Amino acid sequence: MFSKIMVPVDLVHKDTLGKALNVAGEIARLYGASIDVVSVGGELPSELGHTPREFGDRLQGFADDLRSKFDVTVKADPLMAHDPAVETTAELMKAIDKVGADLVIMASHEPGFFEHIFSSHGGYIAQHAKCSVFVVR
């Protein structure tokens, strides 16, 4: 049913992604699908790395841990943006086509007042992606 699962992650909040990662791992195992872990980082130094390469290495380590945990193929796709706070949703939408995802599995928080005015990353992607989107709370 699914062959390529894209899982957007924010490594700053990786401790809150457990449910979504478990869903992705189980679905990947069930269908023999691969997982592409994508994350949007900045070109300037941050807590996730001083360089884009450090950011990519950190994401690769995260992907390697998932590969070991679920025994499925996991690829790391670091995405770079000038301003990740502004460009994350657009970069994730482009990544869906880039990786050829037929399913996106995203962690999300419970919607609050702000989401009634502006879509969250997950809300926007669920509304606009051409593939299936599973938002996990």
Side-chain angles (χ1 to χ4, degrees):
M1 177 175 260
F2 299 109
S3 61
K4 181 73 86 161
I5 301 170
M6 184 177 105
V7 180
V9 298
D10 180 349
L11 293 176
V12 172
H13 302 289
K14 67 181 178 183
D15 296 337
T16 65
L17 304 174
K19 284 174 64 175
L21 295 173
N22 286 336
V23 168
E26 293 300 321
I27 290 176
R29 259 200 308 238
L30 179 65
Y31 293 109
S34 63
I35 297 174
D36 276 74
V37 178
V38 299
S39 188
V40 180
E43 296 170 354
L44 297 175
S46 73
E47 63 188 287
L48 296 175
H50 293 90
T51 65
R53 182 180 175 110
E54 278 185 30
F55 174 75
D57 290 346
R58 184 167 291 196
L59 185 62
Q60 185 62 55
F62 185 81
D64 292 343
D65 291 345
L66 287 180
R67 182 181 305 110
S68 296
K69 180 176 181 179
F70 295 109
D71 194 30
V72 296
T73 301
V74 182
K75 180 181 176 216
D77 288 303
L79 309 172
M80 291 294 119
H82 293 293
D83 187 352
V86 173
E87 300 173 56
T88 293
T89 301
E91 291 298 320
L92 292 176
M93 289 296 293
K94 287 189 253 178
I96 292 170
D97 290 331
K98 177 185 165 200
V99 304
D102 52 11
L103 174 63
V104 176
I105 298 178
M106 297 185 71
S108 186
H109 58 281
E110 188 173 325
F113 176 76
F114 189 73
E115 282 76 26
H116 292 285
I117 300 168
F118 302 102
S119 287
S120 64
H121 301 301
Y124 183 89
I125 290 171
Q127 289 179 327
H128 295 90
K130 295 176 184 170
C131 65
S132 296
V133 179
F134 190 159
V135 180
V136 180
R137 289 197 180 113

